[in-house]
Amino acid sequence: NLNKDVLIWDETFFESDRFNDPKLKDNNINYYFKNIGVFDAWEKTTGNKDIVIAVIDDGFDLKHDELNDNIVKPYNVLFQNDNVYANSKLDHGSHVAGIAISEKNNRKGVCGIAPDCSFMPIQISNDNYPGKFSMTDIIDGVLYAINNDADVINLSIQKLFPPDFKKVTQKQINETLGSDEELFWNELFKIANDSNITIVFSAGNLDLLIGLDAMKRDNSIITVSATDKFNKKAKFSNYGKRSTISAPGVEIFSCKPGGDFVVMDGTSFSSPIIAGVVALMKSVNPNLTNKEIIEILKVTGKEIDPSIGPLVQVDKALSLCVSSNTSKINNINTDSI
């Protein structure tokens, strides 16, 4: 036997960082990527520029380093031109858009859920009425997105109701509240559905039943409730059987006009997470119907609270985005018209 010196060490596994966006490594910020499986999903795709996410909101800082890439057909509904802007009064849309499509690998902030998809900014507010949208402006924004080949439309908006509406039951909603308005919205959403365009809504932040707002009753739309860092229902989030899916909505880091960043709470910021997820799904399989997308999100989501939709699991959802029958009729709206 030969005497030999043996060198023994602890084996260490190293993982290379795909992106250099600094806040992706900040555990106080990156929780929502981890909780829904985004990092694993990015192994499959970070999006395709042919897939367009339209964000309809108050305004957008298109000079922001996170938002100035892959922009297509910007539109200001009020001015009827491409003069899209943002400021301290109009800061909501920049934050929403950044969550869905912030640029990757630019050494700034984090990056969007679908950073390689394209971004269609549609402004429906101005300095005189910041954060306020008319029904007509919302309709015009949706029609613009439909007519200009958007694949996903994000609407982080809510109608306000007084506190006593907490007493309204689901049966009362179905039987009495806003039936005429519901028929109108469903007809508009049928146009989107027939064009295989996915509409994603925020559930709202009033801790009320989803569906009080007649805009959010159609079966072809996706309505998103909010969760917190611990995968619990966010206290403010609207809920109920109309909650399609849930996503993180507490302490969400994203863009602020002027090239800055800010952390904000709300289902407004859960919704663009799902808009980004849907864009990734369509990047893998652009032929998916809205019915298929909704089914995939639900079956792959994590059940966390019976009052809201399951928590999205992006990596699992992408794994089910296999080839679909392109001739399949997308008739999910039949019962809702």
Side-chain angles (χ1 to χ4, degrees), residues 164-180:
D164 60 358
F165 269 69
K166 288 183 180 292
K167 301 174 185 178
V168 175
T169 66
Q170 189 68 57
K171 183 177 180 181
Q172 288 173 310
I173 292 174
N174 293 338
E175 292 181 353
T176 61
L177 291 176
S179 57
D180 290 342

Side-chain angles (χ1 to χ4, degrees), residues 20-37:
N20 59 30
D21 310 82
K23 297 301 182 180
L24 285 176
K25 302 179 184 69
D26 188 331
N27 290 329
N28 294 317
I29 290 171
N30 66 16
Y31 89 89
Y32 71 90
F33 293 91
K34 294 178 178 178
N35 286 13
I36 63 175

Side-chain angles (χ1 to χ4, degrees), residues 11-62:
E11 185 69 79
T12 302
F13 291 92
F14 294 89
E15 181 178 355
S16 62
D17 294 324
R18 290 194 64 194
F19 307 143
N20 59 30
D21 310 82
K23 297 301 182 180
L24 285 176
K25 302 179 184 69
D26 188 331
N27 290 329
N28 294 317
I29 290 171
N30 66 16
Y31 89 89
Y32 71 90
F33 293 91
K34 294 178 178 178
N35 286 13
I36 63 175
V38 174
F39 294 118
D40 288 339
W42 282 340
E43 295 298 324
K44 296 180 176 71
T45 184
T46 54
N48 184 320
K49 69 177 182 179
D50 293 333
I51 301 300
V52 178
I53 305 173
V55 181
I56 300 174
D57 218 295
D58 63 353
F60 307 91
D61 178 7
L62 300 186

Side-chain angles (χ1 to χ4, degrees), residues 61-71 103:
D61 178 7
L62 300 186
K63 296 180 180 179
H64 198 295
D65 288 337
E66 296 279 60
L67 302 179
N68 60 9
D69 195 26
N70 290 348
I71 297 171
E103 188 174 345

Side-chain angles (χ1 to χ4, degrees), residues 4 16 19 36 66 76 81 151 216 247 256 266 299 311 325:
K4 292 185 177 180
S16 62
F19 307 143
I36 63 175
E66 296 279 60
N76 188 315
N81 59 26
D151 296 284
K216 299 176 183 178
K256 179 181 179 181
V299 76
L311 179 64
N325 184 353

